[in-house]
Amino acid sequence: NFGKDVIAHAIERGCFGKYFRCIDVGGLDFRRLPLSEICYTGDKGRGRLRDDFDEVDRLLEEKYPGVHKVHDFLRQNGLRDALRGNKPTRTRGARQIVTPTCTLFQGLATGHTPVIKSFRALTVSAGMVYGNPESLDLLQGWDDDWAEKAALETSIDCKISDLEMATVDASDLAKVGGARPWESITVPKRRITENQHGEPVLKKLRDEGKK
């Protein structure tokens, strides 16, 4: 929650950075974040034991800096385990620690997770906001004299007052059913195809972009 009262209280206590972070994730393909070049991705316990968590942390920061920053932010809030200074076990290697964060990114890209609806998270690109409209209203309620607001505007290269919610034409969307009625999701039509029964289904990631 980054409403004015909450943020003001965090600033007063000197813990703004713990609860709010603007993270540049440019250059990432959220749908494809392979870890094979970073850590052991197999299923054998002895393979996990060979992971050097400090080295994995370095490689993650080098290959996916945005993912590394998000993982570290979640770690600071008790939502992820640390890599650096930690050690693997037969049941938990680096993959088991990092995958939940990668899955979060993939869910944002594919619409398989309600994270933006459930949390006060916004994605900003070229002055357009993707996320919950209420979150933008909260952001635009920040005081103009806050240094944190000026820093955020510098980070996103745009005045908060100039941000606009991205919109989509309903005719460009389609609903895809899941295994259960409540698992259906709404996605852009370019991400669906038909199965042998003529029913709309999601394209496989490797087929996206094809007609």
Side-chain angles (χ1 to χ4, degrees):
N1 188 331
F2 42 82
K4 179 179 178 179
D5 293 340
V6 175
I7 294 300
H9 187 49
I11 292 173
E12 289 175 5
R13 292 185 295 148
C15 56
F16 171 82
K18 180 179 179 181
Y19 300 110
F20 186 94
R21 192 77 56 83
C22 179
I23 297 173
D24 183 357
V25 293
L28 281 179
D29 183 342
F30 285 12
R31 298 169 301 172
R32 297 176 177 86
L33 297 170
L35 297 174
S36 57
E37 297 179 8
I38 295 175
C39 62
Y40 175 72
T41 56
D43 297 320
K44 297 185 183 300
R46 63 178 179 272
R48 297 189 184 108
L49 288 172
R50 289 196 294 268
D51 275 339
D52 180 337
F53 279 10
D54 287 351
E55 178 66 6
V56 171
D57 185 78
R58 185 190 70 79
L59 291 172
L60 181 66
E61 184 175 17
E62 181 181 287
K63 188 172 180 63
Y64 304 132
V67 174
H68 184 272
K69 290 175 183 177
V70 169
H71 186 90
D72 189 58
F73 178 68
L74 295 173
R75 178 196 61 77
Q76 291 180 29
N77 285 277
L79 299 174
R80 293 289 187 272
D81 290 331
L83 282 169
R84 192 165 293 277
N86 217 332
K87 294 186 180 299
T89 67
R90 284 187 169 274
T91 57
R92 188 195 66 165
R95 176 190 177 192
Q96 282 68 40
I97 292 179
V98 177
T99 292
T101 304
C102 291
T103 301
L104 182 151
F105 276 89
Q106 291 161 351
L108 287 174
T110 61
H112 281 92
T113 177
V115 65
I116 281 185
K117 294 180 181 179
S118 303
F119 299 92
R120 303 301 185 189
L122 288 176
T123 300
V124 179
S125 178
M128 302 302 294
V129 174
Y130 303 84
N132 191 329
E134 183 185 353
S135 297
L136 178 58
D137 292 339
L138 291 173
L139 199 59
Q140 291 180 330
W142 286 19
D143 283 350
D144 291 334
D145 59 353
W146 287 353
E148 290 77 9
K149 180 176 182 178
L152 176 58
E153 291 177 335
T154 299
S155 296
I156 62 177
D157 195 27
C158 181
K159 290 285 188 182
I160 291 177
S161 58
D162 293 337
L163 292 174
E164 298 180 15
M165 286 300 304
T167 58
V168 62
D169 192 324
S171 63
D172 292 331
L173 302 175
K175 183 170 287 189
V176 177
R180 301 174 181 85
W182 57 86
E183 292 179 344
S184 64
I185 59 173
T186 301
V187 297
K189 287 182 177 178
R190 65 177 182 275
R191 293 196 56 232
I192 65 172
T193 185
E194 292 185 351
N195 62 16
Q196 64 269 34
H197 306 295
E199 301 167 333
V201 294
L202 284 173
K203 290 181 180 178
K204 296 184 182 299
L205 284 179
R206 64 174 180 268
D207 294 330
E208 289 200 19
K210 299 178 182 178
K211 293 183 178 181

